[in-house]
Every structure is written in C-alpha cells, then in structure tokens.
C-alpha cells in the first residue's frame, strides 16, 4: 500500500502524485504540521479546512477516507506508514525553501524507516529548470520566458483514481477547527473552498468573462477576473485542468478579440509559473531583495503611516478601498494590489517586506512565489521589476481604472453619495471642501508629488548616484 500525502493538492482529479506511481491501494493523508502552521494565517487555514471537508467526502463516498494527522510531518508519516504497513509515500514537490526543507526531512525519516518516497512536479505546467535561456540559466525577464512558455507542449489533466484503488482508513480521524489549531476566526468572509467550487468558478469564467478579460481585467468594479487564485494556491484545481479549459475557451471564442482576451489570460498563467521558477532558484527572495543596489535602500520607519495603510485610512480613495477589500474578503483585485504596493513603497517609502507580511497574514490566496514577485516588482527590487523612476500616481490610477468610483464607494462607505469627480480630486480639495463632502473620511496623509521626489532621491542614493 502507498500513502498519498496531500498538501497544496486538495483535489481528487488532475493529481499526478495521487495516481502515479502504480500501487495496489492508496491511503490519502493530510498532516497539520506545526512548523508549517507557524507561517499560516486564519484566512488560508479556514479555506483549507473547508476544502478538506469536501475532499474527505469524496473519499468517503468511495468507501475510503482521508486520514487527518497533527504533528511534525516526518514523524507522523513514518508512524502511519508503520501502522498501515505502507511501503511508499507519494506527494507533489514543493518549490519554496520552507517546503523543500520539510520535504527533505520527510525523505530522510522515511528512508530510515525503509519506506520509499515518490514525488512529482504537479503545481506547474513546466517544472523549474525546464524553460531556460540558451545558456541553461533560469529566466529573469518575463517576456523571454513567455515566448518559450506559450509554445511549449503542455500535458493534459488526468482522471481521479478509481474507487477500487482506494484503501480503507485504519480509523476515523476528525478535521480540527481553527481554534483547535490555535487560530482565531478570520476577520474576512472567506470564499468557499473545495474542488467542486473550483470547477464551478473555472467553467463560469471560461464560459463568459474570459472573452472580455483583455478589456475588464484592470477594472476592479466589474469583478470580471477568474477568482481562481485561492484554488490554484491550495490546489483545489489542477493547473492542467485550468489550461485545458482555457484552451477550449480559445477554440470556442466567437471572434479574434475574444481569442486575444483568452491569450491574455494565458499570459497570467505564465506569470504565475515565471515567479515560481524565480522562487525555486532564489528561495531567499521571500526576505531579501532579488535585485541588489550599490547601497541599502533607506526605507522609512513610520509605524503610524503603516497602520493607516493597513486600515485603509490613507486619504487616497483607491488605496483605501483596496486595503478594506482585503480585510473584508481576504482578497484584493490584482490592479489594486499593484496600486497599494506602489503606494506603500513609493509614497510612504516603507519596506516592501512590511506589505508582503501583511498580505501573507490577510490573503486567502497568498503564496510566496506570486506575492513576493508582485511586491518586489512594485518596489523595484525584483526580477523584471517596475523601474524605480516609474511611480504610480494613486489618484490617476483610481480615475483611470475606477472612473465612476463604484469600487471605491463599495469599500469606503464614507464616500457614498460623493461625486466621482470629487473623489478623484480628493487630494486637491481644501480641508473645508473635504469636510463638506465626506466629514468622516481623512485627508491624504502624504503629498504624492513630494513623496515621488523623495522616492527618486532614495533610489538614486541606493544606486550610488548621490555620492
């Protein structure tokens, strides 16, 4: 018998490690490892618990069960293997430094116990190291990576294992609660988890909104993005399943514009893989700048400004709307993520690590590869990052991407009933005009023009241009 160790693959189908290699019987298991939980947060744990309940029900309807364990993974898996006389354990490989160190400990412990391990690359269409420069180096520029990624042959999804291959669980184990695991209830309303919800979202998106993705993806008020990110992060849907469905949508597109929109979404899948490759070859980027400067960047230490940013009280409406959406939904629209990240690093002049840590604690779809890639892009410290001299104007961004201020009003109720023109000119109004329009909404905490110049100077010093 083989144990299959579920981690970020909380689905029965399109799961390579679950169906391969062949085994007479498979017993699925999930381990709540305290070393991993130390880096978790309530939104993600709540989503995982919901997804585990759905996955366990799938196994139970096939007269098997999902074994739930709590404790350090090496010891727990070795103990279960001995108790069930399992001769192997399978799982999908991790790409972060933390995950790879855990996997090494598990391999060592199981080897000592005489248990084989079988691992596969399952989270990406193209594993790290498979798309490289002509010299064999990993890409540091997305556009070159994309040129090879988009034309590379991709594997199709695989079916779930048949019920005849699933083993009986030795005993029934309970899924713990958040409190059992030492977490408070999340502040936000967490979206439904599970493989069935993921399938519904994928089909809904590919049947409609994907054909307008090129035009609507940057408009937060339309909410026309896929909302698949939590499901890809936690593996309630397989990446091959997503790509297969996207390709079918392209084949069914009604016109060239629709086909181009689908291809734009494919590009987002490529960005996801690009950042996973970056993390795999540079695991230190979760705490260190990818791009070095001659001198250290002189980030400010301003706890009050950081707190205002976290609470959505900066006086910049699009920034505050995004930060409040994060707290309400454990999610933020991608365009707004770029705006709030730019504001933290280029207007407040605060270290990107402060923002990355907040997102890690609040996002249901947090994963270190994509979150870190986004934050370092905004901070001009990452691979293929925004040049330091290109600085988002938060007011211009709000007016361009939320012209009617519908998104802003949705999350900043103090501005309900205020004309969009007034909202987009908030930084230009006098104190008296702001009091008349929305007395409970704050004035801007910084002047964007002044901080833009300060950011340029800060980066020029880091580059050695002020010596």
């Amino acid at each position: 018998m083989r144990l299959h160790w579920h981690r970020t693959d909380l689905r029965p189908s399109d799961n390579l490690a679950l169906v391969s290699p062949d085994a007479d019987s498979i017993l699925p298991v999930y381990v709540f490892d305290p070393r991993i939980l130390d880096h978790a947060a309530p939104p993600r744990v709540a989503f995982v618990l919901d997804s585990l309940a759905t996955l366990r029900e799938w196994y139970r309807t096939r007269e098997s069960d999902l074994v739930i364990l709590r404790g350090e993974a090496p010891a727990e898996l070795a103990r279960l293997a001995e108790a069930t006389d399992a001769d192997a354990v399978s799982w999908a490989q991790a790409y972060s430094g933390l995950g790879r160190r855990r996997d090494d400990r598990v391999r060592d412990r199981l080897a000592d116990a005489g248990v084989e391990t079988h691992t596969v690359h399952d989270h990406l269409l193209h594993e790290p190291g498979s798309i490289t420069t002509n010299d064999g180096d990993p890409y540091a520029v997305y556009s070159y990576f994309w040129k090879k990624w988009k034309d590379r042959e991709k594997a199709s999804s695989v079916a779930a294992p048949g019920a005849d291959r699933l083993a009986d669980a030795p005993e029934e184990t309970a899924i713990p609660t958040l409190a059992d695991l030492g977490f408070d209830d999340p502040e936000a309303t967490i979206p439904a988890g599970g493989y069935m919800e993921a399938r519904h979202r994928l089909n809904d998106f590919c049947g409609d909104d994907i054909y307008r993705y090129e035009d609507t993806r940057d408009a937060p008020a339309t909410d026309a993005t896929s909302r698949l990110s939590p499901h890809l992060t936690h593996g309630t849907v397989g990446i091959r399943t997503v790509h297969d469905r996207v390709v079918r949508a392209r084949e069914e597109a009604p016109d060239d514009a629709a086909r181009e929109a689908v291809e734009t979404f494919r590009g987002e899948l490529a960005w996801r893989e690009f950042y996973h490759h970056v993390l795999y070859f540079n695991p230190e980027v979760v705490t260190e700048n990818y791009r070095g400067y001659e001198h250290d960047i002189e980030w400010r230490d301003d706890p009050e400004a950081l707190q205002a940013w976290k609470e959505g009280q900066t006086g910049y409406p699009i920034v505050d709307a995004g930060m409040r959406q994060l707290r309400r939904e454990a999610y933020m629209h991608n365009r707004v993520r770029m705006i709030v990240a730019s504001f933290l690093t280029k207007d407040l002049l605060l270290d990107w690590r402060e923002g990355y840590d907040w997102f890690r604690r609040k996002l249901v779809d947090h994963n270190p590869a994509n979150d870190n890639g986004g934050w370092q892009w905004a901070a001009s410290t990452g691979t293929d990052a925004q040049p330091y001299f290109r600085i988002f104007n938060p007011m211009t961004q709000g007016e361009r991407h939320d012209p009617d201020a519908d998104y802003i009003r949705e999350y900043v109720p103090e501005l309900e009933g205020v004309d969009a023109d007034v909202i987009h000119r908030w930084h230009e109004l006098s104190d008296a005009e702001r009091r008349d329009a929305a007395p409970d909404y704050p004035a801007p905490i910084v002047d964007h023009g002044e901080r833009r110049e300060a950011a340029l100077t800060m980066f020029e010093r880091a580059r050695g241009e002020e010596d």
Side-chain angles (χ1 to χ4, degrees):
M1 184 177 73
R2 171 166 55 90
L3 305 180
H4 174 68
W5 180 21
H6 280 285
R7 294 109 64 85
T8 52
D9 61 332
L10 304 181
R11 61 185 185 275
S13 62
D14 196 17
N15 190 323
L16 295 180
L18 182 59
V19 299
S20 177
D22 291 336
D24 292 337
S25 60
I26 306 164
L27 180 62
V29 56
Y30 186 91
V31 184
F32 285 98
D33 187 329
R35 291 196 184 198
I36 303 301
L37 289 174
D38 283 346
H39 298 269
R44 284 178 284 136
V45 177
F47 189 91
V48 166
L49 293 174
D50 190 24
S51 300
L52 285 173
T54 304
L55 182 60
R56 180 179 63 177
E57 186 60 25
W58 186 89
Y59 283 118
R60 286 182 171 179
T61 60
R62 287 152 181 82
E63 299 184 357
S64 182
D65 206 346
L66 176 64
V67 178
I68 305 293
L69 302 176
R70 292 174 61 185
E72 294 196 8
E76 292 298 322
L77 290 168
R79 180 186 63 77
L80 183 62
E82 180 180 9
T84 58
D85 200 26
D87 57 11
V89 180
S90 64
W91 68 83
Q93 293 191 30
Y95 298 130
S96 70
L98 175 68
R100 289 154 68 185
R101 289 191 296 272
R102 171 202 55 194
D103 291 0
D104 287 343
R105 291 194 300 271
V106 171
R107 285 190 188 93
D108 291 343
R109 181 64 178 268
L110 292 176
D112 290 342
V115 178
E116 295 181 1
T117 56
H118 300 287
T119 61
V120 299
H121 287 278
D122 191 43
H123 302 311
L124 304 175
L125 292 165
H126 302 292
E127 66 188 70
S130 64
I131 297 180
T132 62
T133 67
N134 293 336
D135 293 330
D137 298 321
Y139 276 107
V141 177
Y142 167 76
S143 58
Y144 298 133
F145 178 88
W146 161 247
K147 288 178 182 178
K148 289 187 178 179
W149 184 95
K150 66 179 179 178
D151 296 327
R152 190 70 57 90
E153 185 176 355
K154 293 165 176 55
S156 295
S157 61
V158 297
D164 59 328
R165 295 192 61 206
L166 301 176
D168 294 333
E171 61 184 30
E172 183 175 331
T173 53
I175 297 176
T177 65
L178 279 168
D180 292 336
L181 297 171
F183 291 94
D184 295 328
D185 289 337
E187 177 183 18
T189 300
I190 305 303
Y195 71 93
M196 294 180 67
E197 176 66 19
R199 186 181 304 164
H200 292 322
R201 282 200 174 274
L202 176 62
N203 286 329
D204 286 349
F205 175 68
C206 287
D208 186 12
D209 286 334
I210 196 170
Y211 296 124
R212 297 186 297 276
Y213 187 74
E214 177 74 24
D215 297 328
T216 61
R217 63 179 177 145
D218 282 331
T222 65
D223 195 24
T225 56
S226 73
R227 291 286 188 124
L228 286 171
S229 55
H231 297 284
L232 285 168
T233 290
H234 301 288
T236 50
V237 67
I239 186 60
R240 290 168 300 278
T241 297
V242 173
H243 190 262
D244 285 351
R245 185 65 184 86
V246 169
V247 168
R248 180 154 66 91
R250 184 176 60 187
E251 293 169 350
E252 298 171 351
D255 52 43
D256 289 344
R259 275 186 290 277
E260 184 61 31
V262 174
E263 195 68 359
T264 298
F265 183 76
R266 276 188 84 224
E268 296 303 311
L269 299 181
W271 267 111
R272 173 181 178 269
E273 303 220 342
F274 174 69
Y275 280 139
H276 275 81
H277 287 212
V278 170
L279 176 64
Y280 183 85
F281 290 108
N282 306 273
E284 72 283 353
V285 295
V286 294
T287 56
E288 299 177 16
N289 294 338
Y290 177 92
R291 174 187 297 180
Y293 286 87
E294 185 174 342
H295 305 299
D296 290 342
I297 300 172
E298 298 170 353
W299 302 113
R300 290 171 55 90
D301 179 19
D302 191 340
E304 291 185 2
L306 177 61
Q307 192 61 32
W309 178 82
K310 290 178 178 180
E311 293 179 356
Q313 294 286 346
T314 69
Y316 283 87
I318 192 69
V319 173
D320 293 340
M323 298 307 296
R324 297 191 198 187
Q325 182 184 27
L326 175 63
R327 297 184 75 144
R328 185 194 300 184
E329 301 175 7
Y331 170 85
M332 190 189 302
H333 186 278
N334 186 61
R335 166 55 61 172
V336 186
R337 294 188 197 202
M338 291 190 282
I339 295 170
V340 304
S342 178
F343 186 83
L344 181 82
T345 57
K346 304 294 177 62
D347 285 80
L348 300 184
L349 309 181
L350 298 177
D351 195 327
W352 64 264
R353 282 162 279 239
E354 296 281 8
Y356 173 79
D357 182 65
W358 187 246
F359 273 30
R360 179 186 65 81
R361 292 158 59 187
K362 293 296 182 182
L363 280 172
V364 69
D365 63 4
H366 165 77
N367 72 72
N370 295 99
D371 264 2
N372 182 268
W375 272 102
Q376 293 224 44
W377 181 88
S380 302
T381 60
T383 176
D384 206 9
Q386 175 92 317
Y388 77 93
F389 51 82
R390 292 183 182 169
I391 298 174
F392 280 6
N393 181 321
M395 301 306 297
T396 300
Q397 288 286 314
E399 187 171 14
R400 178 180 302 154
H401 299 297
D402 187 30
D404 297 326
D406 292 334
Y407 172 81
I408 290 170
R409 294 192 201 92
E410 170 69 21
Y411 296 100
V412 186
E414 302 97 304
L415 296 175
E416 185 177 355
V418 179
D419 287 345
D421 179 62
V422 173
I423 291 173
H424 296 314
R425 291 191 301 106
W426 194 254
H427 62 303
E428 299 175 343
L429 302 181
S430 68
D431 289 342
E433 289 173 322
R434 282 192 283 261
R435 283 195 300 271
D436 288 342
D440 296 326
Y441 185 65
I445 62 173
V446 295
D447 180 280
H448 170 70
E450 293 176 359
R451 285 302 176 90
R452 181 183 185 280
E453 293 304 314
L456 292 173
T457 300
M458 180 178 74
F459 277 95
E460 287 165 358
R461 281 199 299 266
R463 288 162 53 88
E465 297 177 8
E466 290 276 308
D467 291 348

